[in-house]
Amino acid sequence: MKPVRTKTPRKLLVKKGSQTSLKDPVGVYCRVRPLSLPDQECCVEVINNTTVQLHTPEGYRLNRNGDYKETQYSFKQVFGIHTTQKELFDVVANPLVEDLIHGKNGLLFTYGVTGSGKTHTMTGSPGEGGLLPRCLDMIFNSIGSFQAKRYVFKSNDRNSMDIQCEVDALLERQKREAMPNPKTPSSKRQVDPEFADMINVQEFCKAEEVDEDSVYGVFVSYIEIYNNYIYDLLEEVPFDPIKPKWNSCSTPMRNTDFVPPQSKLLREDKNHNMYVAGCTEVEVKSTEEAFEVFWRGQKKRRIANTHLNRESSRSHSVFNIKLVQAPLDADGDNVLQEKEQITISQLSLVDLAGSERTNRTKAEGNRLREAGNINQSLMTLRTCMEVLRENQMYGTNKMVPYRDSKLTHLFKNYFDGEGKVRMIVCVNPKAEDYEESLQVMRFAEVTQEVEVARPVDKAICGLTPGRRYRNQARGGPVGDEPLVTEVVLQSFPPLPSCELLDINDEQTLPRLIEALEKRHHLRQMMIDEFHKQSMTFKALLQEFDSAVVNKENYIQGKLNEKEKVISGQKLEIERLEKKNKTLEYKIEILEKTTTIYEEDKRTLQQELETQNQKLQRQFSDKRRLEARLQGMVTETTMKWEKECERRVAAKQLEMQNKLWVKDEKLKQLKAIVTEPKAEKPERPSRERDREKVTQRAVSPSPVPNAPPIRLRHRRSRSAGDRWVDHKPASNVQTETVMQPHVPHAITVSVANEKALAKCEKYMLTHQELASDGEIETKLIKGDVYKTRGGGQSVQFTDIETLKQESPTGRKRRSSTAAPAPPDGTESEWTDVETRCSVAVEMRAGSHLGPGYQHHAQPKRKKP
């Protein structure tokens, strides 16, 4: 009876990022290439197997004192100029291939300046294969006997694999072989001698603990990123010989020129992994076949001759090795036809284009544009590494700009925990590349601090291990064990001797007949026993079969129920995933809206603060203006009050003088009238007239009830005091014998702060016209004091008067009543106290030079 096959348990889906607590840093290695010429200056020195040191070459003086600056950089391991490709592969790439065979992803890329040996490290040279052919050789050495038939695995456009039975695979193989130009290379063809030496790896390398109960398939693809566009190097582009092709210079291209294919787009699959949509994936069965596919795409890759490198890569190349693994069924004969059990792992080998400076490569035109795009993509890679390091070290959540470049966008899953990341920094030790090598070392130092989550281990299949070899040995003989017939024959009694020596022998034949009868009887008994046991065994088999059928029906019912529950849970999961995506989209929109509102809020707050500051300034200006206007109003009021008082006093004095003149005339007239005519009238003397005028009570004093004058104490005038002799330019030079002379004086025409700061005394020479028409010179003296505002103030203490008058004229003082001149002219009133009791304060920083602030002493009001 044919055994019943049970369904394999489904693989548990492990959510991405579930092991984010386990992280490994990015492995960064350094390889130093030998110098092209032995007499070249070297700027890189290998200190030990983990450290290199950069020496500043001649001509580069980084410090002002002229000393050379030496810097050291550490790596996971440093490979010197004598390192072989095998040693480099064993340390860097071998663990990645091991992980690939065990279902884990890996990324390996070379980084460095142009001409530093990146392509040599990745591809190799004749007789010394690089990392790529060695990876292929190790993969096929490990899975060679476990590979599935061609077309059992079939790639689709959704970054996944379909599985088909061997019959469908056979039909597809026959169909492809019938095509005139098959795309898939055949393993029966001879190896191209152009790269035969590269893939001839002498050292045998094989992965350990390969799953023998699985079948494997290898698919390769080859793309390049040129000017931030992705091109498929394995795509077959039809060439039209009739229609001319035009290059970027608007000139016809030759038929031998390469027509660039259509650029490809990046897509995201259901597992949120990035892939190139529509990229050609070729199934290969050997190292020669895989490297032939690589070499076919390598011929299409863009290279150019620059000033620094004869064959400079003008694009980033990515060679993907995809390993598909599926378990065998319970019989160990065929592949399990369940798509969920397929495990896909990928190893990406990236040869980055070298960073370069245009002033050294002498690039122009298209070469200059290519160099700009290369440097821009490498700068984006560096920025992503810096943001990742900052987020991990400081706990920030800045967005990593993966989408700024196709290179970083394609490999963003590796930095999110989808596999191991390894980088080989290639360094050219020549002195001309010192500045570029310095930038490369700094980038490597940043990259080493970035940690990547460990990939999740694949789920273990629920089938019995070792079923491949056990089922292969099921139909053959079991070692040297004896057959069942031999055992049965040995249980029979031995036959007696059958040799007849005498014709009269009557014992031999009866003994032989007796032995044969015993054997026949034993045989019959064994047959009966065998029939009984066979009937019993049949009954047991029927019972067991019925029990198995019942259990199978029961299990099938349970499985159906479980499948219904699982399908319902799947629908619920899909619904929740859709809801989760919708909520994430809403959250993203809300976050963007919140960011916009926060920016608006900050802008409005800044505007509000600006307006508040503006209002505060306006309010302060208003208060200062009000204080200034108040001071001006007060000063103007006091000024007009003094002016009014002066005018009233002048008018009173004028009226009193007129009244005095009239009284004097009446007195003279009365004396003339009352005087006897015989006698000659005697003219009274001036002293008598004055006495009479003083004793007269008819006309009051011009300033009645004047307060007593307070006598000022004359200060001692020491020889050390310095004076400021203020003589206005409008003064008239008098011809008096006595002239004012002050020793140690600074003579100025306008009072200023500088002069007042140097002196302790102040004297103002003031001239005015007296009542009798003569010039009266007054010397107004004062002391200089410092003020709190940083200026100087003058307090007037004394007045000296110098006056010239005619001996025949009348003497008149401004403070006492004097008669008006007979011609009726009015003298000018001068209030010396009003004009001289002023303090002058010099303020520093005035826009008009030394500032003046007048503190006028209020004039004593008359009662």
Side-chain angles (χ1 to χ4, degrees):
M1 183 176 178
K2 188 176 180 179
V4 179
R5 296 182 184 178
T6 59
K7 284 196 173 182
T8 305
R10 297 182 183 273
K11 183 171 63 176
L12 296 176
L13 294 176
V14 182
K15 190 175 180 181
K16 189 187 298 184
S18 61
Q19 295 183 352
T20 54
S21 58
L22 300 176
K23 292 185 177 182
D24 295 321
V26 176
V28 181
Y29 303 84
C30 179
R31 186 180 192 184
V32 182
R33 64 161 291 178
L35 291 171
S36 302
L37 300 175
D39 56 346
Q40 279 185 319
E41 183 182 1
C42 180
C43 66
V44 179
E45 178 186 358
V46 179
I47 303 298
N48 50 42
N49 60 349
T50 59
T51 308
V52 295
Q53 181 171 331
L54 265 68
H55 302 279
T56 307
E58 294 291 339
Y60 289 90
R61 301 284 181 173
L62 298 184
N63 298 330
R64 294 183 178 180
N65 55 5
D67 295 336
Y68 289 119
K69 185 177 181 181
E70 297 179 350
T71 53
Q72 291 186 357
Y73 297 92
S74 298
F75 296 89
K76 193 169 184 179
Q77 189 165 342
V78 177
F79 301 95
I81 59 176
H82 302 294
T83 303
T84 62
Q85 300 279 46
K86 175 68 167 57
E87 294 173 355
L88 182 68
F89 170 78
D90 291 340
V91 176
V92 180
N94 192 303
L96 295 179
V97 179
E98 288 271 0
D99 290 343
L100 176 73
I101 295 175
H102 293 107
K104 298 178 183 179
N105 299 330
L107 171 63
L108 173 62
F109 60 95
T110 55
Y111 182 84
V113 300
T114 181
S116 59
K118 301 183 297 299
T119 304
H120 171 75
T121 300
M122 187 62 69
T123 307
S125 58
E128 192 176 6
L131 299 180
L132 191 147
R134 292 177 184 274
C135 290
L136 293 173
D137 188 67
M138 180 177 176
I139 291 171
F140 288 107
N141 288 340
S142 304
I143 66 168
S145 58
F146 306 133
Q147 291 191 69
K149 299 290 185 181
R150 198 183 296 271
Y151 303 121
V152 170
F153 298 110
K154 190 175 181 181
S155 63
N156 53 31
D157 295 334
R158 297 181 299 277
N159 198 30
S160 60
M161 287 287 170
D162 296 329
I163 188 170
Q164 54 187 2
C165 62
E166 292 191 1
V167 177
D168 295 336
L170 177 62
L171 293 175
E172 188 164 354
R173 282 198 301 272
Q174 293 175 355
K175 181 180 176 182
R176 296 293 181 94
E177 290 173 0
M179 295 175 63
N181 294 321
K183 293 183 180 179
T184 304
S186 175
S187 57
K188 298 179 181 179
R189 287 190 294 177
Q190 204 171 14
V191 180
D192 191 346
E194 188 176 3
F195 58 84
D197 293 338
M198 292 187 183
I199 61 176
N200 187 14
V201 180
Q202 299 296 332
E203 302 85 0
F204 183 81
C205 188
K206 181 180 178 181
E208 298 178 357
E209 298 180 0
V210 181
D211 188 4
E212 300 173 347
D213 295 321
S214 298
V215 292
Y216 300 87
V218 180
F219 293 80
V220 295
S221 61
Y222 196 19
I223 64 171
E224 71 170 351
I225 302 175
Y226 175 72
N227 288 340
N228 208 26
Y229 288 98
I230 300 176
Y231 297 98
D232 185 5
L233 295 178
L234 303 181
E235 184 179 18
E236 298 293 337
V237 180
F239 183 78
D240 189 359
I242 300 176
K243 184 177 179 181
K245 303 297 186 294
W246 301 85
N247 57 17
S248 59
C249 300
S250 299
T251 57
M253 297 174 62
R254 296 176 298 172
N255 290 341
T256 56
D257 289 341
F258 171 67
V259 179
Q262 185 68 27
S263 62
K264 304 297 181 181
L265 299 177
L266 287 177
R267 291 284 184 266
E268 190 176 53
D269 61 8
K270 62 180 181 179
N271 296 323
H272 306 289
N273 295 322
M274 304 305 301
Y275 70 99
V276 180
C279 180
T280 304
E281 291 185 340
V282 181
E283 186 177 7
V284 291
K285 295 297 180 183
S286 64
T287 304
E288 295 78 11
E289 198 176 327
F291 203 81
E292 181 184 355
V293 174
F294 166 76
W295 198 254
R296 189 176 70 200
Q298 185 73 1
K299 292 181 179 180
K300 297 181 182 180
R301 190 182 175 190
R302 292 168 173 84
I303 60 173
N305 184 8
T306 64
H307 188 68
L308 299 180
N309 193 355
R310 186 171 59 86
E311 293 184 356
S312 175
S313 302
R314 313 310 296 166
S315 62
H316 309 299
S317 68
V318 182
F319 187 75
N320 290 319
I321 305 173
K322 186 177 290 186
L323 183 66
V324 187
Q325 177 180 354
L328 294 173
D329 57 9
D331 292 337
D333 297 331
N334 300 316
V335 183
L336 191 64
Q337 298 292 316
E338 290 189 12
K339 190 175 179 181
E340 292 82 0
Q341 292 295 328
I342 297 177
T343 302
I344 301 175
S345 55
Q346 179 174 297
L347 175 61
S348 298
L349 304 176
V350 185
D351 182 12
L352 296 178
S355 60
E356 57 187 33
R357 293 191 177 184
T358 55
N359 58 354
R360 294 188 59 207
T361 58
K362 310 299 182 185
E364 295 179 355
N366 288 336
R367 302 289 86 79
L368 182 62
R369 179 167 173 262
E370 292 166 357
N373 285 289
I374 291 170
N375 294 335
Q376 180 63 35
S377 60
L378 295 178
M379 182 61 68
T380 304
L381 177 63
R382 179 176 301 180
T383 304
C384 292
M385 292 295 181
E386 290 176 351
V387 175
L388 282 171
R389 183 188 67 166
E390 184 178 352
N391 289 342
Q392 293 173 4
M393 293 181 64
Y394 304 108
T396 58
N397 194 18
K398 290 185 178 181
M399 185 184 69
V400 183
Y402 291 121
R403 294 179 177 269
D404 291 352
S405 172
K406 292 290 194 303
L407 178 67
T408 54
H409 194 194
L410 178 61
F411 297 117
K412 81 178 193 67
N413 304 104
Y414 288 95
F415 298 102
D416 292 339
E418 286 297 324
K420 289 185 179 180
V421 181
R422 297 287 182 268
M423 181 176 75
I424 301 176
V425 176
C426 298
V427 180
N428 193 341
K430 65 179 181 178
E432 290 80 2
D433 289 347
Y434 171 74
E435 293 184 357
E436 290 85 349
S437 299
L438 195 63
Q439 298 298 326
V440 169
M441 293 296 179
R442 291 173 181 171
F443 171 66
E445 192 174 29
V446 172
T447 306
Q448 288 183 105
E449 298 177 359
V450 176
E451 293 183 346
V452 179
R454 290 184 184 178
V456 180
D457 295 331
K458 67 174 184 177
I460 299 175
C461 180
L463 295 175
T464 306
R467 55 192 178 276
R468 177 193 290 267
Y469 293 115
R470 185 182 67 251
N471 293 336
Q472 286 179 358
R474 183 183 301 167
V478 185
D480 296 331
E481 295 181 1
L483 296 177
V484 178
T485 55
E486 295 178 358
V487 175
V488 173
L489 289 176
Q490 290 176 2
S491 63
F492 286 107
L495 292 175
S497 177
C498 300
E499 184 178 2
L500 294 175
L501 299 177
D502 189 5
I503 57 174
N504 297 320
D505 189 2
E506 296 179 358
Q507 296 179 358
T508 303
L509 289 177
R511 284 197 300 267
L512 180 61
I513 292 171
E514 184 180 1
L516 289 176
E517 286 178 352
K518 288 181 179 179
R519 285 196 171 201
H520 177 71
H521 180 68
L522 182 61
R523 177 177 176 274
Q524 193 65 34
M525 290 175 59
M526 291 178 67
I527 289 172
D528 295 339
E529 184 68 23
F530 175 75
H531 284 304
K532 289 180 182 180
Q533 291 181 0
S534 64
M535 293 300 294
T536 305
F537 186 70
K538 282 182 181 180
L540 292 174
L541 283 178
Q542 288 177 356
E543 292 178 1
F544 181 75
D545 192 13
S546 61
V548 167
V549 171
N550 293 331
K551 288 184 178 180
E552 182 182 6
N553 294 332
Y554 176 75
I555 292 173
Q556 189 66 32
K558 289 291 184 180
L559 287 176
N560 292 334
E561 294 178 0
K562 295 295 183 182
E563 284 183 353
K564 290 180 182 179
V565 173
I566 290 172
S567 61
Q569 290 178 351
K570 281 186 176 179
L571 294 176
E572 183 66 18
I573 289 172
E574 291 177 358
R575 187 185 66 80
L576 292 176
E577 285 180 351
K578 291 180 180 178
K579 186 177 180 181
N580 189 21
K581 288 183 179 179
T582 305
L583 292 176
E584 287 179 353
Y585 178 71
K586 290 182 179 179
I587 289 172
E588 185 178 357
I589 293 176
L590 290 175
E591 287 178 351
K592 291 181 179 178
T593 308
T594 305
T595 304
I596 294 172
Y597 284 160
E598 287 179 353
E599 291 178 357
D600 293 342
K601 180 182 177 182
R602 285 195 295 268
T603 305
L604 292 175
Q605 285 179 351
Q606 292 177 358
E607 291 180 357
L608 181 60
E609 290 177 358
T610 304
Q611 294 295 333
N612 288 335
Q613 293 176 0
K614 186 176 179 181
L615 286 175
Q616 290 292 338
R617 289 194 299 270
Q618 291 178 355
F619 183 68
S620 300
D621 295 341
K622 182 179 178 182
R623 285 189 296 181
R624 286 196 297 268
L625 183 60
E626 287 178 355
R628 183 178 176 185
L629 291 176
Q630 188 67 25
M632 292 176 64
V633 169
T634 305
E635 185 179 356
T636 307
T637 304
M638 294 176 64
K639 179 179 178 182
W640 280 108
E641 285 179 356
K642 290 182 180 180
E643 183 67 20
C644 291
E645 291 177 358
R646 187 187 65 78
R647 290 184 182 181
V648 170
K651 198 66 176 176
Q652 288 179 357
L653 183 59
E654 181 183 357
M655 297 303 294
Q656 288 177 1
N657 289 336
K658 287 182 180 181
L659 184 59
W660 183 81
V661 170
K662 287 182 181 180
D663 290 344
E664 192 69 25
K665 288 181 179 180
L666 286 176
K667 180 180 177 182
Q668 292 177 5
L669 182 61
K670 183 177 179 181
I672 293 172
V673 173
T674 57
E675 183 181 1
K677 295 181 180 180
E679 298 178 1
K680 187 177 180 179
E682 183 181 355
R683 185 175 180 178
S685 63
R686 292 180 180 269
E687 291 77 4
R688 193 182 305 166
D689 292 340
R690 290 195 192 95
E691 290 175 1
K692 290 180 180 180
V693 170
T694 305
Q695 294 175 1
R696 188 178 179 88
V698 177
S699 58
S701 175
V703 186
N705 299 328
I709 298 173
R710 181 172 59 88
L711 296 178
R712 294 182 180 270
H713 175 69
R714 184 177 300 276
R715 299 184 182 181
S716 63
R717 298 186 179 126
S718 62
D721 293 340
R722 297 194 64 182
W723 289 79
V724 176
D725 189 2
H726 182 187
K727 291 182 179 181
S730 60
N731 286 359
V732 180
Q733 186 67 30
T734 60
E735 297 179 355
T736 59
V737 176
M738 292 185 294
Q739 293 287 340
H741 174 70
V742 181
H744 307 293
I746 299 176
T747 304
V748 295
S749 60
V750 178
N752 56 70
E753 181 182 6
K754 184 176 181 182
L756 290 174
K758 295 180 180 180
C759 301
E760 295 84 11
K761 299 291 185 179
Y762 174 81
M763 182 178 71
L764 171 65
T765 303
H766 174 67
Q767 290 182 346
E768 63 181 5
L769 193 63
S771 60
D772 55 358
E774 297 295 337
I775 296 176
E776 185 179 37
T777 302
K778 293 185 178 182
L779 304 179
I780 306 171
K781 296 177 290 183
D783 296 331
V784 179
Y785 298 97
K786 292 184 180 180
T787 62
R788 291 182 179 180
Q792 286 78 26
S793 64
V794 178
Q795 182 178 1
F796 296 102
T797 59
D798 198 4
I799 300 175
E800 294 183 7
T801 305
L802 181 62
K803 182 178 180 184
Q804 184 180 9
E805 63 181 12
S806 176
T808 59
R810 175 183 289 175
K811 182 178 179 181
R812 180 184 175 187
R813 295 179 63 183
S814 60
S815 59
T816 58
D823 54 0
T825 60
E826 296 180 2
S827 63
E828 182 180 0
W829 176 263
T830 302
D831 190 352
V832 177
E833 184 177 0
T834 303
R835 299 183 62 182
C836 298
S837 297
V838 177
V840 182
E841 181 179 0
M842 310 298 180
R843 286 189 176 178
S846 175
H847 64 280
L848 298 175
Y852 299 93
Q853 182 175 357
H854 302 277
H855 304 283
Q857 295 182 359
K859 185 178 180 181
R860 293 188 298 272
K861 294 184 179 181
K862 299 177 181 179

